[in-house]
Amino acid sequence: MSIANKANRLTPYVFMAPAAIILTVALLYPICYMIYASFLDWSPSQRIGEADFVGLRNYANLLQDAAFRESFWVTIKFAAVVVTLEMIIGVGLALLLDRNIKGMSTLRTIFILPMMIAPIVVGLMWRYMYHPTVGIFNRTLKSWGFEGIPWLSDSNWSFVAVVMADVWQWTPFIFILSLAAMQSLPRSALEAAEIDGATEMQKIFFIKLPLMLPVLIVTLMLRLIDAFKVLEVIMVLTNGGPGLSTEIVALRIFRTAQEFQELGEAAAMSNTLLMVLMALTIGMFMYNKMQENRAVRMKAAASKGAV
Amino acid sequence: MPKIVLEGLVKRYGAFEVLHGIDLEMEADEFTVFVGPSGCGKSTTLRMIAGLESVTEGEIYIDGKPVSHLEPKARDLAMVFQDYALYPHMNVAKNMSFALRLQRRPKAEIDAKIADVAETLGLTQFLHRKPGELSGGQRQRVAMGRALTRDSGTFLFDEPLSNLDAKLRGQMRAELALMSQRVKKNMIYVTHDQIEAMTLADRIVVMNGGYIQQQGSPEELFKKPVNKFVAGFLGMPPMNFLDGEVAEKAGEIYVEGQDFSVKLSREKADAIRAHSGRKVTLGIRPSDLVYSPDAADEQSLLLNIVVSEYVGAQTVLLCECGGQKIDVELKSDIPIDRNRQLRFAINPEGVHLFDQDTEAAL
């Protein structure tokens, strides 16, 4: 092979190199750094080189750490509850609003406003609304003659409180994606169902939801991944309390690093969370891949089958 | 099976009226075809019968019963859609049995019905495939199968063949004709393809601009079109139109125009004698012109051949007469010189006359 030829073949790689290098540094470096740090007994006063290598001790500690197990459980509970509620409300709203109402576009914009507000602001806003004496919830309850609710000071109610705030902020995400999915459903299939004698409910359960399923599954995965990483709203609302009742993993990591100054331990926690999220992400990729393969198989079958 | 009557059917979208009072009676077990160009209101009419569009004014009667305020499912109809409208997530058997399953019929009955219909349509081996795994023709069959399993009194077809390629379309057309002979039901069929209309229909309803132009048997419409639109819409290649004027010479009636003067038969002449001097359009189908070098001037046209299109057994000559375009269809084995002026005799039976202003037949 001539030199010119060789150079030609190398050209694309040369062009791609800067992007590849930046990607590697920006993506892999922090992750590798974190993985490495999780094997160290490292306090913020030390440089990373001075920290002692402790092998898997940080991970072993995690397994025995009741507080971490508790916050892991809280995270799972939180993610499961909020995502379930958000899916039901979001899809339900989309089903209700999938029609031509006057001012629909304005209405839709209003619906997605919560998503656009910074989580810190959402947290602050809800904290004022949950205020035991001047918050709107308790004032309303009292004006109706009920007892006020200890929203943020009771360990059961505080979980409800953070769930409500998260549902308020993230339901629109599911609403807007399922509305888009619904509006791209084949109109004629729904008309055919109508002629076949399906009621509105039967159309929803037998036609609309099954056809929306691929979008719903991806939406669910995205929300789940996000719910596992939630931090700001809860930090502002309850800061994990009372007790550990709302201390989700992200908050635990933050406190381990900031308050307890255990960088290695925090890194090990992060890695554990990362592995969970990785599993979810891989699950989503596999689902997508499955869909693609199925589409390819179908196409092949259709073109093979003659008239 | 029921008789369907449309009475003064009007459809408005806001202030925009798309159907202007459709009156039509379809006899029991009749194959009715609505045909017309896009936007003529034929699909809207069908969708109103189906109950997918609301009726603005007027009424639809099925078996003497007004149905315009009933849900589609209460009207006892089955429908085949242009894009088939199959349920993509259900296999063929599930697609065809959806309506029966909604009615909670016994499973054995459903299975028997599906097996029966699948057999008729040659779908037995595809029952477990999903629509995405079928070819266009197979999907079309599933759509028809879904309608057939319903046992409805009336079948509605909304341009069911227009998504198929030409060869498949011909084949499916023949199958449809066969099916309509076998299952004696009301069929209402919408198409923009006049060949489908002519071959399938007991009754053709030609629509244009939201009005019914003419309705009747295919033969009636082909031989006695009531206006220039119907005459030009049915028949392939379409009818030729030559603008001229009615003239009376020595007791005979002629239509005269640029480079032609055609003497009318006695029957036609009597009908038009009173209109001497009136501007008319002479309509002659391409098949009513016969190559005949020795024909008399007054019973023939002298045409300049522009292009000759060989289509196998037939050849279509695109010609010109006094600046107006005119097509001639003739057998390909007739030896003619394709680069010359030729004389074609007019079949006296095939002469149609239309008023130039109103376009109505005279």
Side-chain angles (χ1 to χ4, degrees):
Chain A
M1 199 183 293
S2 72
I3 293 173
N5 226 335
K6 224 178 224 169
N8 260 344
R9 277 162 47 108
L10 280 176
T11 314
Y13 297 99
V14 174
F15 279 133
M16 279 192 323
I21 291 167
I22 289 172
L23 260 181
T24 316
V25 171
L27 275 178
L28 289 184
Y29 178 75
I31 291 178
C32 294
Y33 199 88
M34 183 177 77
I35 292 174
Y36 176 58
S38 74
F39 299 122
L40 300 177
D41 180 11
W42 179 26
S43 83
S45 57
Q46 297 167 301
R47 284 191 294 113
I48 194 162
E50 296 165 356
D52 293 329
F53 187 85
V54 294
L56 288 172
R57 205 180 71 201
N58 285 329
Y59 290 93
N61 284 350
L62 278 190
L63 287 178
Q64 282 154 23
D65 181 356
F68 177 74
R69 283 210 306 267
E70 176 66 22
S71 69
F72 206 81
W73 168 237
V74 169
T75 308
I76 289 177
K77 200 166 70 171
F78 175 81
V81 171
V82 294
V83 174
T84 309
L85 285 175
E86 285 162 14
M87 286 301 285
I88 293 173
I89 301 173
V91 175
L93 276 178
L95 284 167
L96 284 176
L97 290 175
D98 176 29
R99 61 199 66 198
N100 292 324
I101 307 174
K102 239 191 193 156
M104 192 61 223
S105 55
T106 322
L107 209 59
R108 263 176 230 158
T109 316
I110 293 172
F111 267 115
I112 61 168
L113 272 179
M115 232 167 67
M116 304 182 205
I117 303 173
I120 291 280
V121 179
V122 172
L124 286 171
M125 199 175 74
W126 280 84
R127 199 164 81 183
Y128 289 121
M129 295 203 292
Y130 284 137
H131 192 279
T133 50
V134 299
I136 186 156
F137 291 120
N138 276 2
R139 266 196 337 209
T140 312
L141 282 174
K142 279 173 188 159
S143 73
W144 288 345
F146 294 105
E147 285 277 311
I149 288 173
W151 288 109
L152 302 176
S153 50
D154 176 272
S155 60
N156 288 324
W157 281 112
S158 65
F159 186 77
V160 174
V162 294
V163 164
M164 272 167 61
D166 193 86
V167 167
W168 178 83
Q169 187 173 24
W170 289 109
T171 299
F173 174 74
I174 289 164
F175 165 71
I176 212 158
L177 286 186
S178 37
L179 190 65
M182 215 170 290
Q183 288 178 339
S184 62
L185 292 183
R187 275 252 105 70
S188 60
L190 289 168
E191 288 179 345
E194 217 168 291
I195 292 201
D196 272 346
T199 61
E200 281 306 313
M201 272 297 164
Q202 287 170 327
K203 275 201 301 196
I204 289 173
F205 284 105
F206 296 144
I207 312 288
K208 286 187 185 176
L209 289 180
L211 287 183
M212 284 163 65
L213 202 60
V215 175
L216 292 184
I217 286 180
V218 172
T219 312
L220 180 108
M221 291 287 199
L222 286 174
R223 257 322 281 148
L224 214 49
I225 290 170
D226 242 21
F228 267 98
K229 296 187 304 185
V230 67
L231 173 67
E232 296 100 317
V233 173
I234 294 182
M235 192 159 82
V236 174
L237 270 181
T238 64
N239 200 18
L244 294 180
S245 59
T246 57
E247 196 184 78
I248 35 78
V249 171
L251 193 56
R252 177 97 207 150
I253 295 169
F254 180 73
R255 291 177 66 190
T256 309
Q258 286 296 113
E259 289 174 29
F260 314 145
Q261 311 255 310
E262 298 273 5
L263 293 186
E265 193 110 343
M269 287 180 187
S270 299
N271 269 335
T272 315
L273 184 61
L274 180 70
M275 281 187 275
V276 173
L277 295 182
M278 196 70 104
L280 282 176
T281 312
I282 289 173
M284 190 164 95
F285 272 127
M286 275 172 37
Y287 176 77
N288 276 341
K289 194 84 204 157
M290 228 166 63
Q291 291 285 328
E292 274 168 32
N293 286 346
R294 223 173 60 133
V296 169
R297 235 187 23 244
M298 280 193 166
K299 243 194 190 141
S303 60
K304 229 191 316 177
V307 193
Chain B
M1 289 297 126
K3 175 172 163 173
I4 298 178
V5 178
L6 311 182
E7 198 179 86
L9 219 51
V10 172
K11 179 70 190 177
R12 268 184 230 112
Y13 294 104
F16 185 63
E17 191 167 297
V18 291
L19 281 183
H20 318 282
I22 299 294
D23 289 298
L24 186 67
E25 286 193 19
M26 289 167 264
E27 295 300 331
D29 295 346
E30 206 172 45
F31 200 125
T32 308
V33 175
F34 286 88
V35 65
S38 341
C40 71
K42 56 191 190 302
S43 275
T44 309
T45 309
L46 187 83
R47 292 170 58 82
M48 283 162 90
I49 297 173
L52 297 171
E53 295 278 351
S54 62
V55 173
T56 314
E57 265 171 46
E59 189 53 79
I60 301 162
Y61 297 93
I62 298 182
D63 248 355
K65 199 176 67 177
V67 298
S68 70
H69 295 288
L70 294 183
E71 292 277 304
K73 62 177 166 177
R75 301 187 186 194
D76 186 31
L77 332 138
M79 183 158 171
V80 177
F81 291 80
Q82 177 172 7
D83 60 357
Y84 319 135
L86 300 177
Y87 311 125
H89 58 299
M90 300 185 196
N91 65 25
V92 171
K94 288 256 157 61
N95 257 288
M96 297 205 297
S97 62
F98 187 62
L100 300 181
R101 284 185 287 133
L102 289 178
Q103 294 167 15
R104 299 187 184 284
R105 300 269 193 92
K107 192 172 178 312
E109 182 197 329
I110 296 178
D111 290 347
K113 187 85 206 169
I114 298 298
D116 182 37
V117 172
E119 177 73 43
T120 339
L121 292 171
L123 286 170
T124 309
Q125 62 184 117
F126 304 115
L127 281 178
H128 295 288
R129 288 221 193 153
K130 291 203 174 156
E133 298 168 285
L134 300 174
S135 68
Q138 290 162 347
R139 277 181 226 181
Q140 169 64 53
R141 259 174 245 243
V142 176
M144 273 206 268
R146 186 171 61 182
L148 279 175
T149 45
R150 295 276 309 282
D151 265 338
S152 308
T154 305
F155 285 83
L156 308 178
F157 298 89
D158 190 4
E159 309 212 16
L161 305 184
S162 57
N163 282 8
L164 301 176
D165 60 55
K167 190 177 163 205
L168 207 50
R169 199 179 310 158
Q171 194 183 332
M172 291 305 284
R173 201 170 62 215
E175 282 184 27
L176 249 172
L178 200 68
M179 184 181 103
S180 78
Q181 282 171 14
R182 222 169 16 205
V183 288
K184 273 290 164 203
K185 305 264 173 145
N186 286 11
M187 309 259 178
I188 305 179
Y189 188 105
V190 162
T191 180
H192 60 263
D193 178 1
Q194 53 95 17
I195 295 178
E196 278 171 34
M198 296 295 275
T199 51
L200 290 169
D202 296 321
R203 178 196 302 275
I204 294 185
V205 180
V206 179
M207 292 186 71
N208 192 29
Y211 292 98
I212 291 183
Q213 300 292 321
Q214 188 176 6
Q215 52 137 325
S217 71
E219 197 181 354
E220 226 173 291
L221 265 62
F222 188 75
K223 290 200 169 148
K224 291 199 170 65
V226 296
N227 59 29
K228 198 176 151 189
F229 177 81
V230 177
F233 196 78
L234 299 178
M236 199 71 215
M239 186 184 274
N240 297 302
F241 296 111
L242 291 168
D243 287 341
E245 214 167 89
V246 178
E248 187 167 355
K249 279 191 238 163
E252 299 284 0
I253 301 292
Y254 291 80
V255 175
E256 292 186 328
Q258 186 86 36
D259 290 348
F260 73 91
S261 170
V262 175
K263 191 170 88 173
L264 297 184
S265 67
R266 184 143 310 278
E267 196 187 330
K268 279 267 182 235
D270 288 343
I272 208 170
R273 195 172 295 274
H275 300 292
S276 184
R278 189 160 168 182
K279 289 195 181 310
V280 294
T281 302
L282 181 67
I284 305 164
R285 295 201 184 275
S287 51
D288 284 327
L289 289 166
V290 182
Y291 175 55
S292 161
D294 313 320
D297 282 9
E298 57 193 28
Q299 274 151 9
S300 64
L301 296 174
L302 189 63
L303 303 178
N304 300 312
I305 317 285
V306 182
V307 178
S308 146
E309 289 181 335
Y310 176 80
V311 277
Q314 305 285 318
T315 295
V316 178
L317 300 176
L318 311 183
C319 317
E320 180 261 344
C321 174
Q324 306 189 72
K325 273 176 47 197
I326 190 159
D327 297 349
V328 179
E329 192 178 36
L330 75 173
K331 284 217 163 89
S332 296
D333 52 11
I334 295 174
I336 52 162
D337 182 350
R338 293 198 163 81
N339 301 315
R340 278 190 36 215
Q341 267 201 335
L342 298 176
R343 190 164 283 283
F344 292 88
I346 301 166
N347 170 12
E349 301 288 301
V351 172
H352 301 264
L353 286 171
F354 305 95
D355 187 292
Q356 258 185 42
D357 298 323
T358 65
E359 302 201 337
L362 294 171

